[in-house]
Amino acid sequence: MRLKEKNQLKLISFLIAILLFISVNQNFRNLSVVGVSDNTATAWVTDVPLEVDYDRDKLYVVGIPNTVSVKISGSPSKVQKESVAKNFKAKLNLKNAQIGDDQKVKLEVEGLDKSLEGTVEPNTITISIREKVTKEFKVTPIVRKERLLIGYEIDKLSVTNETVKISGDADSINRIKEVRAESETRTKINKNIKEEVKLIAYDSDYNKIDDVQIDPGTTVMSIDLKNVEKEVPIQVNTVGNLPQGYELVSVTPDVSKVTVRAETQSDLDKINEMYVDVDLSDIKEETEERSNLKIYSKEDVRVAADTPIVKVTIKVKKR
């Protein structure tokens, strides 16, 4: 009776020790204890890299996961030691594999203590083995238009890798229409910058082609901008009629010119002046000042000005 109680206490102590160890160690959060009973412990180790053995120069394999989970069972002390040390490996041996689709293959655990039992989850996977084809493609750098602040346009785009080698099966390689260097960031830009960006292969409908290997997978893109701005005069547009008995002497804005910016050079070329509206119908004095009047373009383009509002001095005289 006492021996049985001692064993139970040992098992409970082991379980508590494992749980405490996991909770305070960042590096072992991929370890979970399933249970301890009858002097046997079971633990799951997740995110175990899967090692695959095949001729990578000649074959291309589709359907292999990067990581798997491994269940270890055996004596509590050895399970604890092996779960932490991780001397075992999850392996897939494809040395004698033949080319073909939808092949079911079994995953194995190697390197465990002989007294421990190890199984991989998933235990079997379905893969396709194809003849490997490698081809070189030109890289096209892309920057989304919405990233550019108004007043800036792409002057030059360049990448450190102007071409890349892409490997895969013949069907996938033949589907590639374009390889783009695309940034995932959505940060607005108003100066020359360099960014590390992903390389993505697209088909003719611009669907991503994922079952290929791009080498290298990233590149550095240099984005050079140019200013899309110029200085134009401000024209006053009068609205309404002066009260009876008055005539207009002058309408003068506090600035005669303003710098404007557009999204593209063609849009900027359409803008030759900016306007401000002044209502004359409620004039009460011979000299009046109107502040915070918004300036605008009559062209149907997006435009921004360094001076978005102006003050206008209106002079009239009695007839």
Side-chain angles (χ1 to χ4, degrees), residues 105-156:
V105 291
K106 188 175 181 180
L107 308 184
E108 305 286 349
V109 179
E110 293 184 3
L112 271 179
D113 186 292
K114 291 182 179 179
S115 64
L116 295 175
E117 180 181 346
T119 56
V120 183
E121 179 62 37
N123 186 246
T124 60
I125 59 174
T126 300
I127 63 172
S128 295
I129 303 175
R130 299 163 186 169
E131 184 178 358
K132 185 176 182 179
V133 175
T134 300
K135 189 176 177 181
E136 193 170 70
F137 290 86
K138 180 184 176 182
V139 175
T140 302
I142 298 292
V143 173
R144 296 178 184 272
K145 186 179 178 181
E146 56 265 29
R147 290 193 62 194
L148 302 178
L149 289 173
I150 190 168
Y152 296 93
E153 194 175 50
I154 297 293
D155 184 38
K156 181 182 177 183

Side-chain angles (χ1 to χ4, degrees), residues 43-187:
W44 279 100
V45 182
T46 59
D47 296 328
V48 178
L50 178 61
E51 295 187 10
V52 187
D53 194 357
Y54 67 97
D55 190 341
R56 297 176 186 272
D57 293 330
K58 296 181 179 179
L59 301 178
Y60 188 79
V61 183
V62 179
I64 299 175
N66 293 322
T67 62
V68 294
S69 297
V70 175
K71 184 173 74 171
I72 305 172
S73 301
S75 69
S77 60
K78 288 186 177 181
V79 168
Q80 179 187 21
K81 180 181 178 182
E82 194 62 51
S83 299
V84 174
K86 296 179 185 177
N87 292 319
F88 60 90
K89 295 178 180 179
K91 297 202 71 172
L92 172 59
N93 188 350
L94 297 177
K95 281 185 176 180
N96 299 319
Q98 301 297 315
I99 292 175
D101 290 339
D102 300 328
Q103 302 183 47
K104 286 190 176 182
V105 291
K106 188 175 181 180
L107 308 184
E108 305 286 349
V109 179
E110 293 184 3
L112 271 179
D113 186 292
K114 291 182 179 179
S115 64
L116 295 175
E117 180 181 346
T119 56
V120 183
E121 179 62 37
N123 186 246
T124 60
I125 59 174
T126 300
I127 63 172
S128 295
I129 303 175
R130 299 163 186 169
E131 184 178 358
K132 185 176 182 179
V133 175
T134 300
K135 189 176 177 181
E136 193 170 70
F137 290 86
K138 180 184 176 182
V139 175
T140 302
I142 298 292
V143 173
R144 296 178 184 272
K145 186 179 178 181
E146 56 265 29
R147 290 193 62 194
L148 302 178
L149 289 173
I150 190 168
Y152 296 93
E153 194 175 50
I154 297 293
D155 184 38
K156 181 182 177 183
L157 290 177
S158 60
V159 287
T160 53
N161 303 90
E162 295 184 351
T163 61
V164 290
K165 290 183 178 179
I166 301 183
S167 300
D169 65 275
D171 289 342
S172 296
I173 295 298
N174 291 335
R175 284 171 52 216
I176 297 175
K177 174 70 174 180
E178 185 177 47
V179 179
R180 290 184 172 184
E182 296 182 338
S183 175
E184 294 182 332
T185 181
R186 295 295 181 266
T187 306

Side-chain angles (χ1 to χ4, degrees), residues 227-245:
N227 292 331
V228 186
E229 64 181 30
K230 68 179 179 181
E231 193 175 62
V232 297
I234 294 179
Q235 303 291 342
V236 177
N237 184 43
T238 57
V239 180
N241 298 313
L242 286 169
Q244 190 172 2

